[in-house]
Amino acid sequence: MTVNTQPVSALPDPREFGLPVVDGASIPPELRSLVARVHDLIDAVANTEADAEALAEAAAAVETLTDRLNVARREVGTMVERDLRDGTTEYGTITNIVAGDTNPAAPPLSLERTAEGLRGEVTLNTVYQGPPGLVHGGWVAALLDQALGSAAAVAGMPGLTARLETDYRRPTPLFTPLEITSRVTGVERRKVFVSGEIRAGGEVTAEGTAIMVQFKLPEPGA
């Protein structure tokens, strides 16, 4: 098994697979603001103890807004192209449940390149709760899966998760800044081996390792 040194410039363009791509910089600030407000709304709905009248009024208002927004919808599989601070370009599904730019249910996770791989921070509220005051284990695994897959992708080897192992070292708390790190550890033909961690207050709460299988790129001119 070797560590891949393929340049990031070799990252395939999703357009080669027939997928629509949106420039992240072109997403209207009004849409980003709406996503943030709906993100807050999800938390408010999950925790509200408002009276029946207020709930009925809110439901009617949301139904009206939903009808207005549904007049035009993106194509399924739409990707977003993002420029990271180091100049790296990355692609992701625009509605990704973990890191989608236009998905209000996604936690505000943003990953940036480091010398070792990727690093990001996120703070989760009760929308992501499992046990009282703690992050749901499924979301812990989802955050690691996203970070691990992204590490392979920005290294020029995007693919799909073939195997994910998550070790829960200690409970992951809500309302606490979580540091997420990931890196490529090796390559074997189309298999990309990646590892990562989640830390709270400097202590590892979960570790993940995965095997990503690289996409088979289309032949030139195909």
Side-chain angles (χ1 to χ4, degrees):
M1 185 168 64
T2 61
V3 174
N4 190 285
T5 57
Q6 182 178 0
V8 172
S9 59
L11 190 67
D13 189 321
R15 297 174 186 86
E16 298 175 5
F17 299 90
L19 296 172
V21 177
V22 172
D23 182 356
S26 73
I27 297 175
E30 295 82 2
L31 177 54
R32 291 193 180 276
S33 177
L34 176 61
V35 170
R37 299 292 75 74
V38 177
H39 185 85
D40 294 341
L41 176 63
I42 294 171
D43 177 60
V45 170
N47 291 282
T48 187
E49 290 188 333
D51 60 36
E53 181 180 0
L55 295 175
E57 291 177 355
V62 170
E63 182 178 16
T64 298
L65 291 173
T66 301
D67 290 341
R68 288 185 61 186
L69 295 174
N70 265 332
V71 297
R73 295 176 62 90
R74 297 187 192 277
E75 182 179 340
V76 174
T78 296
M79 306 292 285
V80 61
E81 181 179 355
R82 308 184 188 97
D83 293 325
L84 304 185
R85 283 197 294 261
D86 71 338
T88 299
T89 296
E90 71 158 355
Y91 297 97
T93 312
I94 200 168
T95 61
N96 184 303
I97 187 60
V98 182
D101 295 62
T102 62
N103 192 337
L109 174 64
S110 178
L111 296 165
E112 294 289 345
R113 283 183 66 89
T114 66
E116 293 77 27
L118 289 177
R119 179 189 180 280
E121 288 190 1
V122 67
T123 300
L124 302 180
N125 60 22
T126 54
V127 172
Y128 310 97
Q129 185 170 219
L134 302 175
V135 180
H136 192 290
W139 269 104
V140 170
L143 290 168
L144 284 169
D145 187 35
Q146 182 68 32
L148 297 174
S150 295
V154 299
M157 298 171 287
L160 298 176
T161 307
R163 181 172 184 175
L164 172 66
E165 293 186 356
T166 303
D167 292 318
Y168 298 90
R169 298 302 184 189
R170 53 177 53 84
T172 299
L174 298 174
F175 304 111
T176 301
L178 304 177
E179 180 188 32
I180 303 175
T181 53
S182 60
R183 69 208 63 81
V184 174
T185 57
V187 177
E188 186 178 280
R189 295 187 293 278
R190 289 176 59 199
K191 294 180 180 179
V192 184
F193 299 84
V194 284
S195 66
E197 303 81 30
I198 296 178
R199 292 179 173 83
E203 293 189 329
V204 174
T205 66
E207 298 174 326
T209 58
I211 299 173
M212 302 288 168
V213 177
Q214 297 182 61
F215 294 125
K216 186 175 182 180
L217 301 181
E219 296 295 332

